[in-house]
Amino acid sequence: MNKRRISTAIVGLTSLALIATACSGGGSGEGSSSSAGGSSVLTIGMPNGPQTDNSNPFANTSSAMSLGYAFAIYEPLAQVNTVRPSEDPTPWLASEWEWNADYTQLTLTARDGVKWSDGEDFTAEDIAYSFQIRKDNEGLNTFALPFGDITVDGNKVTVSFTSGQFVKQGQILQLFVVPEHVWKDVEDPTTWTNEEPVGTGPYTLKSWTAQAATLTARDDYWGGELGVKELRYSSYNDNNALTNALVSGEAQWGWTFIPDYEKVYIDANPEVNNQWAPTGLGIDTLFLNTETAPFDDVAVRKAVQLVLDREQISELASSGVFPPLTNVAGLPEPAGTDFITAPFQGKDYTVDEAGAKQVLADAGYTLDGTTLKDPEGNAVTFTLTNPTGWSDYLTELQMIADAVKPLGITATVEGQNADAWFTAIAEGNFQASMHWTDGGATPWDTYSNQMDGAQYLPLGERAIWNFGRFKNDEATAALATYANATDEAARTAALETVQQVFVDEVPAIALLGRPAAAQYSTKNFVGWPSDEDPYANPQPTTANASLILTKLKPAS
């Protein structure tokens, strides 16, 4: 059995990192500094443009989710620390839980002494209902969980699944809970705007305007007294507007990509301005179409990987915010350190142009002047594609194109309309393209997204993952074993097989860790997660927020 009980030390936090993208457009949507000057108010900013009065936590486009205040109102079953995924989750609304041996059944105990913000008692029935509403509404079941029976016995809830959920433990425990007495009469939970949200979280919605959503601290919160008495969530029209607000101190917590952030943001007030960008297990990877030339040949995939300088790509494309991957297993560290199996521990990527040329020569490739020819005499070329507005990815693509020139390979970078790109990569109508992977509490998602034959679809059909159409029966079987094994030894052996195939066959080229980044100020409040205390994902738009808000204290 696998059991987790209440811990006296609160560490960790559940998250689905909703990394903000800049949304341009009209609407003022900009925070006012008038209420942010006092130490009792914390202003949170996101660069997501005009908002509508919608506090539905199930709707990713709602104001509550876009700005993040849903996570100050609604709380998860447990806090899963995705920046330190090997840590045990911290009990939250579930005071303890237990999985059966094959992870097809989860039994949770509802925490005592918790009340909804309308004064009703929180019970096990609410937990059961929160699973049932996801089971009954496919659009709410964002992790495609294969629910079976859901039953209640006193303060315990038992949830069954039709397949093992070892690799989705974190996603399940991070699910937020809604009150049955409020939601049971909602006709369509996918469209309800929920303008008067009721939650167990530390804050309640006081007011909503086009300029800001204002939340106030509960004086009856089960987790104790709160150091921040009022939250103000403001939406800025774009990255530049939020950057200006963060630099001036108008906003004290948020996330936006700031080029040269140390000079622009940190140096503006180095005593209090901070940016923390820890990586979990998600990465940015170069997907390669393994069913079309030239990447249907592993020799080309290996050669391209050998000439890429990940440190330089990280620095020039992301100002170092997205850290270079160093270990050949393709996992970010330290989050992935415990998952690197013995054969690959201490083995790092190196830039080796001579080695790349030798790999190609050994595979029958020849140089005709400065042009590389394949064994059939065709010039080796490929096109790298990503959406036109994604400047970091396009910079990475150009650096890749430059890196392969000494090999005699001509690579061209092309920007695409975002919709066209999403369709093209899903249908396999590309040669090479940057894309992210999911993270999770184990590296299963990271590898499955890149190389799982179970996700293979023929060219022309829309794949959800494995865009490069990589197929290796040994790796596919090992990924399935890892997901369904009932003992750690079997999982470790399966992971070693997956990593061996990943290193030998290069199904994709893992480049950078994909961080959960945030900017925050310590002028008025301290207790933020950091390198020294990495207890949570720092973004305000994740389930981590409820834990962070309970940790913050006035700076003075």
Side-chain angles (χ1 to χ4, degrees):
M1 294 292 187
N2 297 276
K3 186 173 287 191
R4 300 285 183 268
R5 296 189 178 275
I6 295 176
S7 168
T8 55
I10 296 180
V11 293
L13 183 62
T14 288
S15 72
L16 275 181
L18 302 175
I19 295 182
T21 56
C23 298
S24 61
S28 58
E30 299 193 2
S32 166
S33 62
S34 61
S35 66
S39 62
S40 65
V41 179
L42 174 65
T43 298
I44 301 101
M46 294 298 290
N48 295 344
Q51 301 290 308
T52 56
D53 189 359
N54 186 340
S55 296
N56 186 338
F58 290 109
N60 283 339
T61 57
S62 71
S63 175
M65 292 296 287
S66 176
L67 302 184
Y69 67 83
F71 301 107
I73 297 171
Y74 296 98
E75 296 185 295
L77 295 164
Q79 302 281 12
V80 179
N81 188 358
T82 57
V83 304
R84 295 292 185 271
S86 61
E87 290 182 355
D88 288 342
T90 297
W92 213 250
L93 290 183
S95 59
E96 64 178 32
W97 59 88
E98 187 173 5
W99 289 94
N100 66 353
D102 61 1
Y103 289 86
T104 58
Q105 189 176 88
L106 172 64
T107 300
L108 304 118
T109 302
R111 180 181 289 277
D112 292 332
V114 178
K115 285 188 177 293
W116 294 101
S117 55
D118 63 359
E120 294 286 329
D121 288 336
F122 163 77
T123 69
E125 297 285 352
D126 295 309
I127 295 178
Y129 178 78
S130 297
F131 282 110
Q132 190 69 46
I133 194 173
R134 291 174 169 95
K135 178 181 177 181
D136 294 342
N137 295 271
E138 183 178 356
L140 307 186
N141 188 10
T142 53
F143 298 119
L145 299 172
F147 289 113
D149 293 335
I150 301 168
T151 60
V152 178
D153 182 10
N155 68 343
K156 294 186 180 296
V157 180
T158 300
V159 185
S160 297
F161 303 92
T162 59
S163 61
Q165 299 301 299
F166 173 78
V167 297
K168 291 188 176 181
Q169 297 174 74
Q171 286 97 323
I172 292 168
L173 291 173
Q174 78 185 2
L175 294 175
F176 60 81
V177 181
V178 297
E180 180 183 20
H181 67 277
V182 172
W183 286 80
K184 66 180 180 180
D185 297 323
V186 174
E187 184 174 346
D188 186 351
T190 65
T191 60
W192 187 42
T193 56
N194 188 32
E195 294 175 11
E196 297 180 0
V198 174
T200 60
Y203 293 85
T204 57
L205 182 63
K206 176 183 178 182
S207 64
W208 193 98
T209 70
Q211 286 71 44
T214 301
L215 282 71
T216 54
R218 292 177 58 178
D219 57 13
D220 62 344
Y221 178 57
W222 65 268
E225 186 176 358
L226 298 159
V228 183
K229 301 306 179 184
E230 184 171 296
L231 307 175
R232 180 182 172 92
Y233 288 82
S234 295
S235 186
Y236 294 81
N237 282 338
D238 53 32
N239 283 5
N240 286 336
L242 178 53
T243 297
N244 290 336
L246 289 164
V247 169
S248 70
E250 176 182 303
Q252 302 95 46
W253 187 17
W255 160 239
T256 187
F257 179 69
I258 304 175
D260 198 9
Y261 74 94
E262 290 185 334
K263 180 179 180 181
V264 173
Y265 173 62
I266 302 297
D267 289 351
N269 196 341
E271 294 299 317
V272 300
N273 287 355
N274 296 269
Q275 176 170 297
W276 190 48
T279 54
L281 293 174
I283 66 171
D284 276 348
T285 192
L286 183 69
F287 276 91
L288 308 171
N289 192 328
T290 65
E291 291 202 333
T292 63
F295 295 117
D296 56 350
D297 188 342
V298 66
V300 178
R301 304 197 297 267
K302 285 184 175 180
V304 172
Q305 170 151 272
L306 282 169
V307 296
L308 300 185
D309 187 334
R310 289 167 172 81
E311 289 189 7
Q312 188 179 57
I313 291 172
S314 167
E315 190 60 37
L316 294 182
S318 76
S319 301
V321 176
F322 285 52
L325 299 178
T326 56
N327 186 272
V328 296
L331 295 177
E333 296 189 77
T337 302
D338 291 345
F339 297 105
I340 297 172
T341 57
F344 307 105
Q345 291 171 7
K347 294 187 176 180
D348 291 344
Y349 290 118
T350 57
V351 180
D352 186 359
E353 183 180 315
K357 290 178 177 178
Q358 188 63 53
V359 167
L360 292 168
D362 291 345
Y365 289 77
T366 57
L367 278 173
D368 182 2
T370 59
T371 300
L372 185 71
K373 297 288 187 73
D374 67 18
E376 286 73 45
N378 302 308
V380 179
T381 67
F382 61 87
T383 301
L384 299 132
T385 52
N386 269 118
T388 301
W390 296 8
S391 59
D392 55 339
Y393 273 0
L394 291 175
T395 299
E396 291 161 19
L397 297 187
Q398 188 58 57
M399 295 181 73
I400 293 166
D402 293 342
V404 300
K405 284 181 182 178
L407 302 180
I409 298 174
T410 298
T412 304
V413 176
E414 290 185 3
Q416 292 181 298
N417 170 276
D419 289 342
W421 173 77
F422 276 113
T423 298
I425 194 170
E427 295 180 354
N429 184 22
F430 76 102
Q431 288 183 292
S433 186
M434 289 298 300
H435 199 290
W436 57 91
T437 72
D438 285 337
T442 76
W444 185 86
D445 286 298
T446 308
Y447 290 122
S448 176
N449 292 172
Q450 297 176 88
M451 60 188 290
D452 194 346
Q455 308 221 44
Y456 173 87
L457 285 176
L459 294 175
E461 296 185 25
R462 291 184 67 95
I464 297 174
W465 286 111
N466 190 7
F467 303 120
R469 271 63 180 183
F470 180 77
K471 287 193 293 185
N472 179 289
D473 291 342
E474 189 179 17
T476 300
L479 284 163
T481 298
Y482 187 86
N484 295 296
T486 58
D487 65 274
E488 194 61 36
R491 280 191 288 272
T492 299
L495 185 58
E496 183 175 321
T497 297
V498 170
Q499 292 178 347
Q500 189 70 60
V501 174
F502 186 81
V503 170
D504 291 344
E505 298 296 323
V506 195
I509 299 178
L511 288 179
L512 307 175
R514 189 166 182 83
Q519 293 93 17
Y520 59 82
S521 169
T522 57
K523 179 178 180 180
N524 294 330
F525 300 102
V526 295
W528 302 94
S530 63
D531 278 331
E532 293 73 30
D533 189 12
Y535 66 85
N537 177 318
Q539 292 188 332
T541 52
T542 73
N544 301 23
S546 56
L547 175 57
I548 294 171
L549 290 167
T550 63
K551 291 273 197 176
L552 296 182
K553 303 297 180 187
S556 57

